[in-house]
Amino acid sequence: MRNSASVPVPAGEVAWGTPTARWTLTATVLGSGMAFLDSTVVTVALPAIQADLGAGLAGMQWVVNGYMVTLSALILLSGSLADRFGRVRLFMVGVTVFALASALCTFAPTLGWLVAGRVVQGVGGALLTPGSLAILQAGFREQDRARAIGAWSGLTGVAAAVGPFVGGWLVQIGDWRLIFLINLPIAVVVVVISWFAVPESGDAAASDRLDYPGALLGVVALGGITYALIQWGAVGSTPAVWTAAATGVLALAGFLLVEARGRNPMLPLGIFSSTAFSATNGATVLIYGSLGPLLFLLVIYLQEVGGYSPVAAGAASLPITLLMLVLSSRSGRLAARIGPRPQLFVGPLSLAAGFVLLSRLGPEAPYLTSVLPGVLLVALGLSTTVAPLTATVLASAPQRHAGLASGVNNTFARGAQLIGVAAVPVLAGIGGEGSKAHGGTAALVQGFGPAMLMLAGSCVLASLCALALPRGRMPRAVEPAVEERPTRFCGVSGPPLRSCPGSSAGTREGGGDR
């Protein structure tokens, strides 16, 4: 492992305002911000990618979902890997993998190579984003830790906010490949800072037996089910589709068996014994399973049907990110006073109302009168829901599983987006071989409204999950989350991670140097 003497302050003793603190925050913000930025700019570039590589809707789904398959399946393993091999070391590995995959995407000659690059990017993203939190929690002094995580959360939210502008601008001035190329210099800066200025930490007591079988089965399960859904829409019911579906379902069953019987499962199934934990994660699946298809379809619809430029289409959903950044802390404080149940009931209904308004979009819809009202309702719904949702998830799990609970909630959200992007276009009749050129535009016009109504129905079901929560304030709920201050976040890509899942970073037992 890299010698911690190469940096002036050892892990666990970094004080806010010192040079080491600034370098640590810079490296973690740039690293995770790179992943947040990439997740938003890619969606904006989808029509340009489609035109250049001759991809249909199925191809665009894979560009998005290739990244989500590995990211969703590996997040829960990242904390254990960081403890075992060194948190800064694994973070640098994640950044390097992400950068190499970005290079592959930049120079991809075909759609297949681009999707392969996105799959590898997901591996890097699963290592670097939770790893950022592990570094902060293990590096900073206890009294400064919450302030550091709050700054990290807000700054990475800003990266998500500027993503649509950056992506649209790069597509308009040059080529869609530039959205991946910009990751390379950022990655170099992050690795250099991490190597020379960020204190290393690990957990000497970390288990040598990691849940590699569970991680592999998770990737196969998500990949098989996603392939079956996307290809079903593209080519119909074929032997390959049924084989992929069966493989995915069997892998999912195997995953559950491994997690139930394994000695060191990355997802201990006993955590779902709490009704509140299960209900809030059910709501998470329904909400983010709706949000993913919205962001995927809206940017394509506005460009291909509405005639919007890439910048304008990307900026259309910007109010969602901005209101999340502005209102999240207020939403958390409100839930601390009245309990999470009212907001978890009303928030998804606001989302549903926004989807209903968006279902009425017609060709060349003006933004201010047609698009913005629906987007604002979606933004208000998310701002109302995500902070109490996250706090309730943490409050419903045993304290020793706080990091795991946060990781499970984030994983469920990303997995739901993955399945939603694969399934909703198929159910709405948007996919198929006619998804290119004019035939695809006609299918998009006809299927966009029904797709939005499906998403509205999903959010109505999410509001009903709140009825399973107890009335009043949750035990240990919301107050600690507000006092810790990491409340300015962008919940568009997934609920905020409050700690690195599976890691002992920040605890007395595992927060120090090796």
Side-chain angles (χ1 to χ4, degrees), residues 90-265:
L90 199 73
F91 174 71
M92 290 192 293
V93 169
V95 172
T96 303
V97 169
F98 195 91
L100 293 175
S102 297
L104 176 58
C105 293
T106 301
F107 301 106
T110 64
L111 178 66
W113 281 106
L114 176 60
V115 172
R118 291 288 287 161
V119 170
V120 179
Q121 269 192 323
V123 176
L127 297 178
L128 71 89
T129 303
S132 300
L133 273 171
I135 291 170
L136 296 175
Q137 289 168 325
F140 277 85
R141 301 182 304 175
E142 186 175 357
Q143 61 266 39
D144 293 327
R145 195 174 299 147
R147 190 173 185 181
I149 296 173
W152 173 86
S153 179
L155 290 170
T156 52
V158 172
V162 302
F165 286 108
V166 173
W169 177 68
L170 289 174
V171 171
Q172 285 190 203
I173 68 166
D175 190 274
W176 61 266
R177 298 175 189 274
L178 294 176
I179 68 175
F180 298 109
L181 186 63
I182 61 173
N183 293 330
L184 303 185
I186 298 175
V188 171
V189 172
V190 172
V191 170
V192 170
I193 294 175
S194 299
W195 179 262
F196 288 105
V198 181
E200 180 63 283
S201 67
D203 185 355
S207 174
D208 292 335
R209 298 185 176 182
L210 302 181
D211 191 11
Y212 297 119
L216 178 60
L217 286 169
V219 171
V220 174
L222 289 173
I225 293 171
T226 301
Y227 179 89
L229 289 170
I230 292 176
Q231 292 304 109
W232 179 35
V235 299
S237 177
T238 66
V241 168
W242 284 108
T243 300
T247 301
V249 171
L250 289 174
L252 179 59
F255 172 81
L256 295 175
L257 186 64
V258 167
E259 300 310 291
R261 297 185 176 182
R263 286 189 176 183
N264 297 285

Side-chain angles (χ1 to χ4, degrees), residues 260 262 441 508:
T441 301
R508 293 181 181 178

Side-chain angles (χ1 to χ4, degrees), residues 62-87:
W62 272 117
V63 171
V64 173
N65 280 349
Y67 177 79
M68 296 297 294
V69 165
T70 45
L71 179 71
S72 303
L74 298 178
I75 279 181
L76 292 178
L77 188 65
S78 62
S80 300
L81 289 170
D83 287 356
R84 177 74 179 86
F85 297 107
R87 292 164 186 137

Side-chain angles (χ1 to χ4, degrees), residues 16-17 25 133 136-137 140-157 324-333 336 387 390-391 394 478-490 496-499:
W16 182 262
L25 195 60
L133 273 171
L136 296 175
Q137 289 168 325
F140 277 85
R141 301 182 304 175
E142 186 175 357
Q143 61 266 39
D144 293 327
R145 195 174 299 147
R147 190 173 185 181
I149 296 173
W152 173 86
S153 179
L155 290 170
T156 52
M324 286 293 298
L325 290 170
V326 172
L327 298 180
S328 290
S329 59
R330 293 173 175 82
S331 177
R333 287 194 292 269
T390 304
L394 296 178
V478 187
E479 291 93 345
V482 174
E483 292 171 2
E484 289 169 5
R485 295 176 57 186
T487 49
R488 291 188 180 276
F489 54 82
C490 172
L497 284 167
R498 293 301 178 93
S499 60

Side-chain angles (χ1 to χ4, degrees), residues 68 72 222 226 285 289 410-421:
M68 296 297 294
S72 303
L222 289 173
T226 301
V285 168
N410 190 276
T411 297
F412 274 32
R414 295 179 186 275
Q417 292 180 69
L418 167 73
I419 300 301
V421 169

Side-chain angles (χ1 to χ4, degrees), residues 292-374:
L294 167 69
L295 299 177
F296 174 75
L297 291 174
L298 183 61
V299 72
I300 297 173
Y301 184 91
L302 291 179
Q303 290 187 65
E304 296 195 354
V305 179
Y308 285 49
S309 68
V311 170
S317 60
L318 183 61
I320 299 176
T321 304
L322 294 179
L323 285 183
M324 286 293 298
L325 290 170
V326 172
L327 298 180
S328 290
S329 59
R330 293 173 175 82
S331 177
R333 287 194 292 269
L334 177 62
R337 292 197 300 269
I338 67 174
R341 188 178 185 185
Q343 288 171 246
L344 294 183
F345 182 77
V346 173
L349 293 180
S350 174
L351 279 162
F355 287 130
V356 171
L357 284 183
L358 290 172
S359 72
R360 305 175 55 142
L361 289 184
E364 301 182 3
Y367 181 74
L368 289 179
T369 58
S370 297
V371 181
L372 183 60

